């Protein structure tokens, strides 16, 4: 029994802490995504944790300024750990000042608040702002890059290696569409309080050119449901965009999609192809809420506990994405240990919900104890031990 629960806990924990491996396999629905003019692309239903469309998602690609997603992750982590504050002013080194490529236009005479550097990195894609942040958090850019690679490993980004914090072309500085989906999903999940920066359309630091102040993500200006995340471009990488969109649907609430388009031919093309993917995902697939957040999926009997039953489910809603019009084919099955013997702690992994669409396996959703159940007293345990033996 204990061995089973320990074996079950590892994959369940991985599901909550990262993007599950099963979510990286596109649904075999027969639906064909639109023709996308890019080297590689990926469309993920973040709400349902499912891939809707994909092409060459494990191919190594140049990262360009999509690198700044990881830089942002580490900066936000440092803010949460109170290693830095938004109001804190950081110096601008000569190295940061001389960074080539897109810039915030800061110089060594300035002491720039962290919050402004964040906006400069995200909105203006400033390599100078990014370097100042990397040096401020890591001490040196080289040490910060080590932190980037350590974090990539911790997130399970097996195809990613960082050589710098800003994304300028350098041998070995590569990633994959799969890894970018992991990073983008975790960025939104782990640091929701900072995601508004990615939706900022205009920003210029006082004293720097206002003409440089428009967000490179032109979808922010075209589609009011788009709220991030990051563009990238170098000659080697082509034009890239990691875009997120959230739209409201009856019965489901907010549904979020994530599109990753890498290696498009132009700034306009990366926006057009991303919009095409997002629109197709919202129309070709419907979201179905199977269980509300915090509601029990099942209430099985418990042995040797102060309570006779255990409520199992998830703290967030269980939602799946299926081809539009096929929701009637969804079936579910709870897979759990039997018998369930107390004690159980709140949040403890307890089996999974298997979801199928007709004959096709759709998802394995880990379930947890929604409430704790303490062990019964000695007489209660003894009585249940006899009942279990008879059973």
């Amino acid at each position: 029994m204990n061995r089973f629960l320990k074996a079950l806990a590892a994959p369940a924990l991985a599901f909550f802490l990262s993007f599950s491996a099963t979510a990286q396999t596109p649904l075999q629905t027969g639906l064909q995504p639109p023709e996308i003019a890019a080297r590689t692309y990926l469309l993920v239903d973040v709400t349902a944790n499912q891939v809707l469309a994909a092409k060459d998602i494990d191919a190594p690609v140049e990262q360009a300024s999509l690198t700044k997603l990881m830089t942002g992750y580490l900066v936000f982590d440092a803010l949460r750990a109170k290693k830095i504050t938004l109001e804190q002013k950081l110096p601008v080194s000569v190295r940061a000042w001389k960074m080539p490529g897109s810039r915030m236009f800061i110089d060594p005479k300035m002491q720039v608040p962290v919050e402004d550097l964040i906006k400069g990195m995200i909105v203006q894609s400033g390599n100078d702002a990014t370097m100042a942040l990397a040096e401020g958090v890591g001490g040196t850019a080289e040490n910060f890059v080590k932190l980037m690679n350590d974090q990539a490993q911790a997130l399970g980004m097996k195809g990613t290696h960082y050589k710098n914090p800003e994304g300028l072309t350098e041998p070995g500085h590569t990633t994959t569409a799969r890894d970018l989906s992991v990073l983008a999903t975790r960025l939104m999940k782990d640091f929701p309080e900072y995601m508004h920066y990615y939706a900022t359309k205009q920003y210029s630091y006082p004293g720097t050119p206002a003409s440089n102040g428009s967000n490179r993500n032109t979808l922010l200006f075209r589609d009011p449901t788009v709220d991030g995340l990051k563009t990238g471009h170098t000659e080697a990488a082509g034009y890239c965009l990691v875009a997120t969109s959230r739209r409201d649907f009856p019965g489901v609430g907010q549904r979020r999609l994530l599109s990753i388009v890498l290696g498009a031919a132009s700034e306009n093309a990366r926006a057009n192809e991303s919009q095409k993917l997002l629109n197709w995902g919202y129309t070709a697939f419907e979201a179905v809420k199977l269980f509300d957040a915090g509601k029990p999926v099942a209430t099985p009997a418990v042995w040797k506990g102060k309570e006779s039953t255990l409520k199992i489910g998830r703290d967030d809603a269980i939602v799946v994405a299926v081809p539009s019009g096929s929701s009637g084919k969804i079936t579910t099955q709870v897979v759990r240990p039997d018998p369930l013997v107390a004690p159980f702690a709140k949040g403890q992994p307890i089996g999974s919900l298997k979801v199928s669409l007709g004959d096709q396996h759709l998802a394995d959703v880990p379930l947890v104890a929604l409430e704790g159940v303490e062990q019964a007293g000695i007489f209660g345990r003894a009585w249940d031990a006899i009942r279990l033996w008879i059973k």
Side-chain angles (χ1 to χ4, degrees), residues 127-210:
N127 294 334
D128 48 359
T130 306
M131 182 58 69
L133 285 168
E135 292 174 337
V137 172
T140 65
E142 289 72 22
N143 188 55
F144 189 82
V145 170
K146 182 181 183 303
L147 297 176
M148 295 172 77
N149 285 308
D150 289 346
Q151 187 63 57
Q153 185 175 11
L155 294 179
M157 299 167 61
K158 298 179 181 179
T160 298
H161 190 71
Y162 295 104
K163 291 298 186 71
N164 59 63
E166 78 287 331
L168 291 172
T169 301
E170 194 170 338
H173 187 82
T174 56
T175 188
T176 67
R178 183 194 297 271
D179 282 358
L180 285 169
S181 75
V182 172
L183 176 57
T185 303
R186 284 296 301 270
L187 186 66
M188 292 185 287
K189 177 182 175 64
D190 293 350
F191 302 105
E193 67 270 33
Y194 299 118
M195 290 304 99
H196 64 279
Y197 292 119
Y198 292 98
T200 303
K201 296 179 180 179
Q202 299 282 345
Y203 169 76
S204 290
Y205 188 60
T208 65

Side-chain angles (χ1 to χ4, degrees), residues 66-305:
L66 300 181
T67 302
K68 296 179 173 81
L69 291 173
M70 178 58 83
T71 301
Y73 190 100
L74 292 176
V75 169
F76 299 147
D77 187 60
L79 283 167
R80 180 172 289 175
K82 302 190 184 307
K83 294 178 181 177
I84 56 173
T85 67
L86 288 173
E87 300 77 23
Q88 179 180 345
K89 292 184 177 181
L90 295 180
V92 180
S93 68
V94 171
R95 181 177 183 178
W97 174 48
K98 290 186 175 181
M99 289 296 292
S102 54
R103 301 180 63 200
M104 181 183 177
F105 291 99
I106 51 178
D107 63 57
K109 298 188 296 293
M110 299 177 175
Q111 294 272 330
V112 185
V114 167
E115 184 168 30
D116 288 287
L117 290 171
I118 290 171
K119 293 176 182 177
M121 175 180 69
I122 292 172
V123 181
Q124 299 169 310
S125 201
N127 294 334
D128 48 359
T130 306
M131 182 58 69
L133 285 168
E135 292 174 337
V137 172
T140 65
E142 289 72 22
N143 188 55
F144 189 82
V145 170
K146 182 181 183 303
L147 297 176
M148 295 172 77
N149 285 308
D150 289 346
Q151 187 63 57
Q153 185 175 11
L155 294 179
M157 299 167 61
K158 298 179 181 179
T160 298
H161 190 71
Y162 295 104
K163 291 298 186 71
N164 59 63
E166 78 287 331
L168 291 172
T169 301
E170 194 170 338
H173 187 82
T174 56
T175 188
T176 67
R178 183 194 297 271
D179 282 358
L180 285 169
S181 75
V182 172
L183 176 57
T185 303
R186 284 296 301 270
L187 186 66
M188 292 185 287
K189 177 182 175 64
D190 293 350
F191 302 105
E193 67 270 33
Y194 299 118
M195 290 304 99
H196 64 279
Y197 292 119
Y198 292 98
T200 303
K201 296 179 180 179
Q202 299 282 345
Y203 169 76
S204 290
Y205 188 60
T208 65
S211 58
N212 187 50
S214 291
N215 197 310
R216 273 68 169 167
N217 182 1
T218 56
L219 281 189
L220 291 173
F221 301 88
R222 299 187 192 181
D223 184 344
T225 72
V226 170
D227 57 359
L229 276 167
K230 192 69 189 75
T231 61
H233 170 251
T234 62
E235 185 175 348
Y239 289 84
C240 308
L241 175 58
V242 175
T244 62
S245 167
R246 72 283 176 269
R247 300 181 187 178
D248 291 325
F249 289 86
V252 177
Q254 192 175 90
R255 180 183 176 199
R256 180 174 291 280
L257 298 189
L258 168 72
S259 71
I260 298 172
V261 171
L262 308 176
S266 67
E267 182 177 347
N268 194 48
R270 72 184 174 194
N272 289 342
E273 301 309 283
S274 298
Q275 185 77 78
K276 194 188 302 182
L277 265 180
L278 291 170
N279 288 343
W280 177 79
Y282 280 122
T283 56
F285 291 85
E286 63 177 306
V288 180
K289 183 189 289 186
L290 301 179
F291 295 93
D292 287 321
K295 298 298 182 182
V297 171
T299 310
V302 171
W303 300 82
K304 300 185 180 181

Side-chain angles (χ1 to χ4, degrees), residues 249-367:
F249 289 86
V252 177
Q254 192 175 90
R255 180 183 176 199
R256 180 174 291 280
L257 298 189
L258 168 72
S259 71
I260 298 172
V261 171
L262 308 176
S266 67
E267 182 177 347
N268 194 48
R270 72 184 174 194
N272 289 342
E273 301 309 283
S274 298
Q275 185 77 78
K276 194 188 302 182
L277 265 180
L278 291 170
N279 288 343
W280 177 79
Y282 280 122
T283 56
F285 291 85
E286 63 177 306
V288 180
K289 183 189 289 186
L290 301 179
F291 295 93
D292 287 321
K295 298 298 182 182
V297 171
T299 310
V302 171
W303 300 82
K304 300 185 180 181
K306 288 187 176 180
E307 305 292 334
S308 60
T309 58
L310 175 67
K311 294 179 181 179
I312 59 176
R314 280 177 56 112
D315 289 333
D316 50 354
I318 299 177
V319 178
V320 295
V322 296
S324 295
S326 65
S327 60
K329 298 179 182 178
I330 296 174
T331 58
T332 61
Q333 178 188 5
V334 174
V335 178
R336 61 171 179 81
D338 186 34
L340 292 172
V341 181
F344 294 101
K346 182 179 180 180
Q348 181 176 331
I350 309 289
S352 65
L353 179 71
K354 291 189 176 295
V355 186
S356 300
L357 182 68
D359 295 332
Q360 182 186 358
H361 177 67
L362 200 60
D364 284 305
V365 183
L367 302 176

